[in-house]
Amino acid sequence: KAGVTQTPRYLIKTRGQQVTLSCSPISGHRSVSWYQQTPGQGLQFLFEYFSETQRNKGNFPGRFSGRQFSNSRSEMNVSTLELGDSALYLCASSLVGGIGNTEAFFGQGTRLTVV
Amino acid sequence: TQLLEQSPQFLSIQEGENLTVYCNSSSVFSSLQWYRQEPGEGPVLLVTVVTGGEVKKLKRLTFQFGDARKDSSLHITAAQPGDTGLYLCAGGYNNNDMRFGAGTRLTVKP
């Protein structure tokens, strides 16, 4: 079956702009989680969506937002981009979410560079 | 602040050597997962451990969950260049999301 698809793979934006990233989970998976990965901080949890509802949120400012559609596809949006937002953004899909419940499958990520 | 501390951050060894990497936390986790991430790819799940003291083996990889469910270790026997990658541990937190350590970057030289 098809894996998790993230688009675009690479993105360059200017400070102050906004960006929208997309994640298509594995068919049948209802949970989508988003992570920011940087060399210094590792993988930081952004938020998790399940059945179109945000179920959990990490410690990121309100500039970071997301949503999930009825087909489980998810988008995350970052407004007023800052240089420090440059990172690899990963999404993970799973059947029901929650570690230990089921395996999470990651996409290849979107590498965002803010200049 | 990382909920999960991984050590060492970097490890470079020769093919055939053994190694152990660690994942420690002050929190108790319901379960813990280990992932490996290769450049340009997302993390791939290696194992999930759920019971304190549990040991799981996956070919040359041995995973252990601490008795108190606050720490875990990954031991690789006779490392190969194909084992090169970033090893991440992730703990179940509030049972609805995963929190990751910063990872151990392993390089195995032929």
Side-chain angles (χ1 to χ4, degrees):
Chain A
K1 55 183 174 183
V4 179
T5 304
Q6 289 189 247
T7 57
R9 286 291 309 277
Y10 303 93
L11 204 49
I12 299 176
K13 289 285 190 178
T14 305
R15 270 182 303 176
Q17 286 187 312
Q18 75 164 13
V19 67
T20 299
L21 312 181
S22 178
C23 173
S24 293
I26 291 171
S27 177
H29 284 194
R30 296 166 64 189
S31 170
V32 174
S33 297
W34 287 89
Y35 295 84
Q36 181 194 67
Q37 186 175 32
T38 58
Q41 294 295 317
L43 268 154
Q44 300 286 320
F45 173 73
L46 282 155
F47 27 66
E48 186 224 1
Y49 285 87
F50 182 81
S51 293
E52 302 179 66
T53 301
Q54 187 181 86
R55 192 159 63 172
N56 274 291
K57 190 176 189 305
N59 296 323
F60 277 80
R63 300 184 298 107
F64 292 81
S65 63
R67 58 178 175 169
Q68 187 179 34
F69 302 94
S70 58
N71 62 357
S72 292
R73 189 177 73 84
S74 178
E75 289 181 346
M76 69 162 279
N77 184 276
V78 188
S79 62
T80 320
L81 284 165
E82 300 176 0
L83 294 179
D85 296 333
S86 294
L88 180 67
Y89 290 87
L90 290 160
C91 84
S93 85
S94 62
L95 277 170
V96 295
I99 189 169
N101 292 331
T102 185
E103 179 177 357
F105 295 83
F106 282 84
Q108 290 181 297
T110 294
R111 183 161 298 280
L112 171 66
T113 303
V114 182
V115 298
Chain B
T1 304
Q2 294 284 352
L3 280 176
L4 290 149
E5 298 291 335
Q6 289 191 245
S7 61
Q9 273 190 290
F10 301 94
L11 188 56
S12 181
I13 61 172
Q14 292 294 135
E15 182 176 2
E17 293 183 356
N18 302 332
L19 67 113
T20 302
V21 298
Y22 301 91
C23 174
N24 296 290
S25 175
S26 56
S27 301
V28 175
F29 291 101
S30 56
S31 57
L32 191 138
Q33 296 183 332
W34 283 92
Y35 288 78
R36 185 173 76 198
Q37 184 178 19
E38 298 184 20
E41 302 292 329
V44 175
L45 179 67
L46 295 173
V47 76
T48 300
V49 285
V50 297
T51 306
E54 182 177 2
V55 176
K56 278 192 175 179
K57 292 194 175 184
L58 185 67
K59 296 182 181 178
R60 295 177 293 101
L61 278 60
T62 301
F63 305 86
Q64 185 162 9
F65 202 11
D67 291 340
R69 306 208 311 275
K70 291 183 179 181
D71 57 270
S72 181
S73 64
L74 158 59
H75 181 81
I76 301 179
T77 304
Q80 299 175 2
D83 296 326
T84 293
L86 179 66
Y87 288 82
L88 297 158
C89 66
Y93 185 70
N94 293 334
N95 209 37
N96 282 322
D97 64 68
M98 292 182 285
R99 302 301 172 109
F100 283 80
T104 292
R105 190 164 297 280
L106 172 66
T107 302
V108 182
K109 301 176 198 174

